[in-house]
Structures are given as structure tokens and as C-alpha cells.
Amino acid sequence: MAEAETRPGRVGLAAMLPRDPALAAAILVIWALLALFVIYPLAALLMRAFVADGTFSLEPLLQVLAQRQHRVALVNSLILGALVGVIGTTLGFLVAFTVSRAELGKGWVRLIDIATLLPLISPPFTTSIAFVFSFGPRGLITHDLLGLKAANVYGLYSTLAAESLTYFPIAYLALRPVLSAIGTNLEDMAFSLGSSRWRVFRTVTLPLCVPGLANSFLLLFAASLADFATPLVLAGNAFPVLPTEAYLQITGMFDLKGGAVLSFVLLVPAVLVFLAQRQWVARGHYVTISGKAGPQSAGQGLSPSARWLLIAASVLLGLFIVYLYALLLYASVVVAFGANHALTLGHYKVVFTDGLKAIKDTLIIAFIGMPLGGLFGVLVGYLVARGEFAGRRAMEMASMANYALPGTIVGIAYLIAFNDPPIELAGTALIIIACYIFRYSPTGIRTTVALLQQIDKSIEEASLSLGARSFTTFRRITLPLVMPAFFAGLGVVFIRSMTAISATIFLVSIGWSLITVRILENMTELSLGPAAAFSVFVIVIVMAVTSLIGLLLERMKASLGDTSLSGMAAG
């Protein structure tokens, strides 16, 4: 009985809220921010699309669907998104399977990682620029090597190839841990029953990857739906897609209502694919790690021919990506790629003169949004993982909404919501920073939740039972333990602040511009040299900052490890 009375017991936010002002204030502030920057913009988007003079009407939607151009754009978007999802997921699975099963050395894995992840740290239409340099009318491959005259690089196939290469690293990152988590013991049991390598792959390995495959397809489908920059550069008039139609509806025709309706049309397939993915995954059983797991065997691995085939395919894919970026670098230091290959730094002079304002604005916004996004992700992740207050699941869903939606929808929603009173933020840096924080902080949220699930609650309960307030416990106990999630949030917010365009293209102004917008302007004006130079500059800055973040994280881990050892010695 005495033991029951002295035991700390289960500590939850629901019990602490009435007497803990810090937690109550944190929850209220988070909900206020989510209401302002997530729920309100989406509500404003729907109101603008379907409400006129206080009356709800589907007439705007019917008018949009009645136009053949918009129907064609919708079908094209669905076709493109599905193909990018399938091809990108296939490429991501191929590379992830090679890395996890081909018994490569650390050096080879490192090189494949660098080549594979290059598209993620560059503007999304960088691949489009390189495709023009390679396969355009004066392209290195089409004109110089194959001798083709007036080659046409525009249309479905080039757009599909560019988007697949741009987004397949997302599938690679999603599938690599899934394949690593599938223990070789499961495959060895199938081998012991006489199954061939192909049969084991088809009946054991591949089915266990279904959640990762479905999730990868969803992510790539949504990324393709949101991407208007690549189709704007490569698709041309022959292959219109819905994101570019929505963009042109607003920027070309100044029709916010039409843009809102097109955004809603874009939203429907994204939601349907998400629900289909959830249903598909829910029908199966995919547990590969249990409490009864024993030591893993080395496994029979791949046959020599399959191993070398996979390595060759992954290396060729990596080399092609490296080639595209090397071509981009070369184009940035010649006078006019395809016409005058004399070396020059003139394009970089344009970057640091005419483009200096865009550089300053982008870096200011990125360096302000980076710590705020990282802290927001950790705080929301902590409340979601450790809290037991009413509305916790709703908070989690609201915090993930902007991340799940195509960026075009988020950008148009922000433009509609904050373009007029009562909350007029259009033309300010705040609206761009808020867009980045609430769109890209979910990476930090999910990482924080995953880390906290591995940390025993008794550590925090011990601090609380000794009289420490929840804020003190969070600052001194929890925050150091989830520091990797904080740095993950920092990295993602910074990378996206430097490279994103689908949402923020609608939010830039004369007062605040972005490097990605300048690149797109140069592309549409056929100033390919400055566009290449801007892209190279962004890649260098992103690599430098993310490397610094990684170094700081390693030093912090070492510091925390030394502190822990000192504490154990003192004990």
C-alpha cells in the first residue's frame, strides 16, 4: 500500500494542465498558431472557391470542369503523377535494395548517397535546366553527340523523366530503412524450405515492403501534383497540367476565385490517393521486428549476377545524375552553352549584382525560419508523443496538414487568406517564413515522436516527482535527448527555404524575393547561364550549411556522451 502511495504513477498533460501554466500556455499557443496558419488559410480557400454573397454554390467548380483545357490539365496531372509515382518508387527501391543487400563497402554507399541525394538539395527544376542543356535544340547529347537538328525537349516524356529523377530520392530515403528492418532470418527460413532467390524476393521481401512502397508512391504522387515549375519549363503548351493552370490563372488572369477552384480540384486526387494507400496497407500484416527476435544471420544474399546487375544499374543512375549537375556547373561558366563555350564568370557576376537582393532575402528568411521551424517541430512532437490532453490527435493532424497538401494549394490558400484585412500579411517576410515553418516542420515533429517512443517516460517522471516543473524537465531532460530531431528539423526547413517554390511563388513581392523565383524568371526569359549559376550557388550554400548542422550535431552528441560518462563516474 505504501509502495502504491509513493510511486510516481503515470504523469500526463491532462493531469498537469490545471496546475502547470507552462504546459497550458504551450498548448494554447500551438493551437493558436495552427488555427492561424493552417486551418484559417484552408477555410479561406474553400470559402473563396464555393461561397459567393454568403451562399454556398458548386457553380464555380462546374464552370471550371466545363472548360476542356482544365479537364485535359486534370487528366494530364493524374497521368503524370501516377507515372512519376511508379517510376520514382521503382528507382528508389532499386537503389535502396542495392545499398541494403549488395554488401557494398561504406565508401561505395557514401558515393551512392551523395549522387542520389543531389536533387533533394537543389531547386526542384534544376533537373529541367540540365535536361534542356542535354536534350534541347543545342543540347550536348541531341545536337553535339547525335547530330539531331531542332530536337524537341518539351512534352510529357521529358517532364516525366525530370520529375522522376528529381523526386525518386524521396522514395530511396523512405524505402532504405524499411529494407534494413527486414531481418535476413525471414528470408533464410524461406531459403531453408527450398525457395529460389527470386521466389523469396517475390513472396517474402517485396510483400513486406508494401507499406514503404505505398508511402513512397503517395509522396511522389503528391510531389508531382504540387510541382508546377518543372512542367512550366518542360511540358510546354502541348501538355498542360493543373498546377501550371492554377498558377497562370492567378498570376496571368488575376483570378483568385478561379485559382482557388483549380486548387480544390488538385486537392481531391491527393486525398483519394492518400485514403487508398491507407486502405491498401491496412489489409496486410507487415511486422518484421518483434520482442522474440534473435541474432540475425548473414543471409544468403544475392546471386553474383544479380548483385553486379543491381550495382551497375545504381552506379549508372548515379553517374547520370552527376553528369546533369556537372553539365549545370559547366553551363554556368561558359558564355552561352551550345553556342559559345568560352569560359566566363559573367553569369556569377549577374548572381552577385542583379541577384544580390534575392540572395539576401532568401538567406534572411531561411536563417529566421530554420530555428523557429526546428523548435516548433520538437515542441509539437513532444506534446503529441507525451501529452494526454483533449485534442492531442487533432493537433497532430493539423500540424501535418500543410505538409500533406500539395504546395500549390498551400501557397494559394495563404495568398487568399492573408491578402486582405483582417489579417493582411501579403508582401511581408512573415508570410513566407510562416509558410516554411508550418509546411516543413512536420519532419521534425515525426522525428521527435519517433525518438520519444524510444525513451522511457520514467526519466521525465523522475524529474517531475522530484518537484521540477514540466518546462524545466523539458528543457533539461527531454530537449537534449531529442536534439537529433531538432537538427533534422533545422536541416529540412533550411533546405526547403533555399529550394522550394511551389508554395512561395504566390507569396513573393517587390519587397521580398527568393532565389528560386529568380531562377524561374531566368528560365522563362531563356537566360540559361544565370539560371545555372544561381542553381550552383544554392547547391553550394545548402551543402555548406547542412554539413555545418551535421558537424554541430556530432559535437553535441559527443558532449552529451561525455557528460553522461562523467555523471556515471560521479555516481
Side-chain angles (χ1 to χ4, degrees), residues 6-131:
T6 57
R7 188 177 177 180
R10 185 180 182 186
V11 179
L13 284 177
M16 293 187 291
L17 261 176
R19 64 175 185 271
D20 196 321
L23 281 174
I27 293 171
L28 291 175
V29 168
I30 294 296
W31 265 122
L33 292 172
L34 291 174
L36 178 60
F37 292 110
V38 177
I39 299 172
Y40 171 63
L42 294 178
L45 174 70
L46 295 177
M47 289 285 290
R48 179 63 65 94
F50 299 111
V51 176
D53 299 325
T55 304
F56 176 81
S57 173
L58 292 176
E59 185 63 26
L61 178 62
L62 298 177
Q63 289 177 355
V64 165
L65 295 178
Q67 299 182 40
R68 182 180 179 278
Q69 183 180 3
H70 291 157
R71 294 199 306 271
V72 170
L74 173 60
V75 173
N76 288 346
S77 295
L78 296 178
I79 293 173
L80 180 62
L83 291 175
V84 169
V86 172
I87 295 174
T89 299
T90 302
L91 293 176
F93 182 81
L94 183 147
V95 180
F97 191 78
T98 302
V99 169
S100 62
R101 292 291 193 272
E103 300 176 0
L104 298 175
K106 291 183 178 180
W108 280 103
V109 172
R110 177 70 174 167
L111 289 175
I112 291 176
D113 278 345
I114 292 173
T116 301
L117 299 179
L118 265 176
L120 287 185
I121 62 172
S122 58
F125 44 78
T126 300
T127 309
S128 306
I129 306 174
F131 263 64

Side-chain angles (χ1 to χ4, degrees), residues 403 435-444 489 492-493 496-497 500 502-503:
Y403 180 78
C435 182
Y436 286 146
I437 291 173
F438 292 93
R439 178 155 170 74
Y440 301 118
S441 61
T443 299
V492 170
V493 173
R496 294 308 182 189
S497 298
S502 60

Side-chain angles (χ1 to χ4, degrees), residues 128-145 323-344 347 526-533:
S128 306
I129 306 174
F131 263 64
V132 173
F133 291 143
S134 292
F135 307 108
R138 303 288 295 181
L140 179 63
I141 293 177
T142 52
H143 183 270
D144 296 344
L145 295 182
Y323 153 75
L324 291 177
Y325 282 85
L327 195 62
L328 192 74
L329 175 61
Y330 178 69
S332 72
V333 294
V334 297
V335 175
F337 186 88
N340 185 348
H341 287 195
L343 295 179
T344 180
H347 302 315
L526 298 181
S527 301
L528 302 184

Side-chain angles (χ1 to χ4, degrees), residues 258-295:
V261 176
L262 288 174
S263 297
F264 175 80
V265 175
L266 190 64
L267 173 64
V268 173
V271 173
L272 290 178
V273 168
F274 175 76
L275 295 176
Q277 179 256 2
R278 291 286 297 271
Q279 181 65 25
W280 180 25
V281 173
R283 292 189 306 183
H285 184 68
Y286 309 100
V287 174
T288 62
I289 301 175
S290 68
K292 299 181 181 179

